[in-house]
Amino acid sequence: MGAWRGKQGCGRSRCRNWLHFAASVAQERREELGRFMGSIRPRVRGKFLYVGEEKLYVRGVTYGPFRPGDDGAQYHSPEVIERDFAQIAANGFNVVRTYTVAPPRWFLDIAHRHGLRVMVGLPDEELRFPFLNDGRRIRSIEERARAGVSACSGHPAVLCYVIGNEIPAPVVRWYGRRRIERILERLYRAAKAEDPEGLVTYVSYPTTEYLQLPFVDFVSFNVYLEEQKRLEDYLARLHNVAGGRPVVLTELGLDSLRNGEDGQERVLGWQVRTAFASGCAGALIFSWTDEWHNDGSDMEDWAFGLTGRDRHPKPALGAVRRAFAEGPFSPELPWPRISVVVCSHNGERTISECLEGLLDLDYPDFEVIVVDDGSTDATAAIAKDYGYRLITTSNLGLSNARNIGIDEATGEIIAYLDDDARPDPHWLTYLAATFLSTDHAGVGGPNLTPPGDGPIADCVARAPGNPVHVLLSDLEAEHIPGCNMAFRKACLQAIGGFDPQFRVAGDDVDVCWRLRQRGWTLGFSPAAMVWHHRRTSIRAYWKQQRGYGRAEALLERKWPEKYNTVGHIPWTGRVYREGLLQGSAWSRERIYQGTWGSAPFQSIYQPPSEGIWSLPAMPEWYLVILAFAALSALGSIWTPLLLALPLLALVVGMSVAQAASSAARASFTDSSPSRIFRLKLLTASLHLLQPLARLWGRLRGGLTPWRYNSPGFSLPWPRTTTIWSEEGWKPPEKTLYAIEAALRAHGVAFRRGGNYDRWDLELRRGMHGAVRLLMANQAHEAGNKQLLIFRTWPLCSPSVLGLTLLFAALTTAAALDYAWAAATVLGGVAALLIIHQLQQCATATAAALGTLQELSEYHRVRDRKDLEE
């Protein structure tokens, strides 16, 4: 115990000495600050870093740590560092990463003279040991972090501050990720308090990939993978972890002692190229030199350096220099010609910014076609001023305008951009690179909210209903939104372009489904980003969501099999919002850690938003609220119905709780707690408003829970149908495929039976009634003929049956209590439920029998022709 107290005392003494030193350095900083006031600090814009208006790709190398000198200095002399930095800069590097705490000002001055920026390491050694339950220790770490930032604050050579590096997975597992996340956020806030304009990051690694740090300015990872495909796949995952923020690889490397200098040269070359091609904002090589010191000893048994201990260059240095010089892509690639199509209707407010962004595109071969879809404002005049090709039409809708773009395009790739979106300068480059490296029919990218649009737009960006991409994997998409999508022209022509019935929205979903129906795939490029303005007023947001609701109704009529019984699309992939994975507010996250936390790659998984807690986010939930409100109102004429009031409070409370929980998880950059509270309150209100707006649009478009869309009726009871075929033996699945095609042509929703179901198809004509079909076939005459046997039977909704029984019981109780008005209303509801369910079962039965009749007629005609021949 005495020894432990002694160590604690020494630690406090060192901390006091460090704070005293930091105070003197801070004084020097204040004296020199005026000299650097004109320097431009790096900042984050979407997926990339910028200095002013120039994109900053990090081309870096790690430096140190080295054996401390006799005076305790953690760096070499200024003369040695001057020579090292001159050599580093001469080889095309622009960033140096340090691991020791807060380098001295003269170190930063040398870096600045050579055009280098520094990733400044802050004290994190205490974060690497399981003693984080001591509040005094956390305060000590925070004080040292503040002192380190204060010593460097304002210096133009500072790229960012690193508040921690690879906290060991056992430590994170011991305390739980949420405690570690809170500690790191505390250090982030402390660093920002000392240098508000400085960038702050935390360097993670695959074993703690699951740490969620939405507050850091950009995402940093140390990744050592020596197989190119594995690195490509993992970087795609990191981009989805990062969302709309930059990804910087802070350590890439290979030991030349074990792999040979030729092996190091080969691997580092493709590692750097892979990092840039994936959309990373930069990469740093570990390390500059083989000279490396750790835990009191020099490391002699490895050689990760680009130079030897004597600074003699290895072959890998030249490979890295060439790879950095090419980034993000080699100019020798056979870049395809791209036609950018901008469709606009009364877009004068934003189209100038869109067309300005197109002027800044860095791509060798593209054209811009602006299709003015009958605008009544100055859209056409604005577009004409930019000299782009302008096509003016009457107002025929968005799909028609996009089809005109297909007809007029001269490029083999057609990229669509909304008139309220501004592309990143390398937007086309990343799209084209994905097309070059894959066979995808279409490729999309993220759409992010631009800064400065105002508080309502910031809240709308964090509310549901914005354009989103749906990913089947980290690289393949199920859907890409229309504001940022590109397709091979030949593929669009093969499916006949966009469907003109989608005048405002839904066209992108439809075209993605039709392309995938052809067997083609869609890709996703996380760096092919655009800035997409969100609605800046609640009224505009309401109008947009109403339009999306009407588009959903159109899609359901065209693609009934894509919708479930409730009238929603059960996406196979995962939905992303503002670049981040969208899950339920109460979804249970699970972390894959391996046995005893031994997995080298540990990831967080969120189940899809299913179950009871996802219901309040559905538009139809408001119909449930309305139903309970009506029952409660009937309590004025029959008192027992007032028991519905607690249920009404429960369903309303679930909606409010879901909205509040989602808003609480939203992250805002504002530093004022009161302002953040108001923003989150508005965001919660939008979470309540959006399902109501969607419901209004869906109801107006005919997508109602009581919908049915078949003119035919047939009494719903079990039937057996036989069809004789002389066409020869066919496997049963071919017959079922033919039935599915016929159902799809008639707009009948269906789903296939699963591996454990004793039925083959389920046909629905609404939410509450269905028919199931089972098929058997018998071979005759040595397989030259066959008998097809089909059994169909109706299927009623258990929930509707339960509601019917409930209302029937309430009707009886009201009648026994002589509350005739209430009994009449409740009995009428029960009768409507019975009629509605029978109606939907009858229309589904008619659809099934009609399809089988068509199949039977086909075989009769076919058999007659065979006999005549």
Side-chain angles (χ1 to χ4, degrees), residues 38 81 130 193 218 269 632 698 827 869:
I81 292 176
F218 60 91
S632 301
R698 288 160 69 93
E869 292 175 357

Side-chain angles (χ1 to χ4, degrees), residues 4 79 251 343 491-493 519 523 549 589 621 684 688 709 829:
W4 171 241
E79 293 75 19
E251 285 184 14
C343 303
C491 294
L492 288 179
Q493 291 174 327
E589 299 170 338
W621 188 251
L688 293 172
N709 53 359
V829 173

Side-chain angles (χ1 to χ4, degrees), residues 15 35 95 110 216 379 383 597 678 696-697 718 765 771 814:
C15 187
R35 188 164 48 135
V95 171
I110 295 173
V216 296
T379 297
R678 291 195 297 271
W696 184 258
R765 276 316 218 177
V771 164

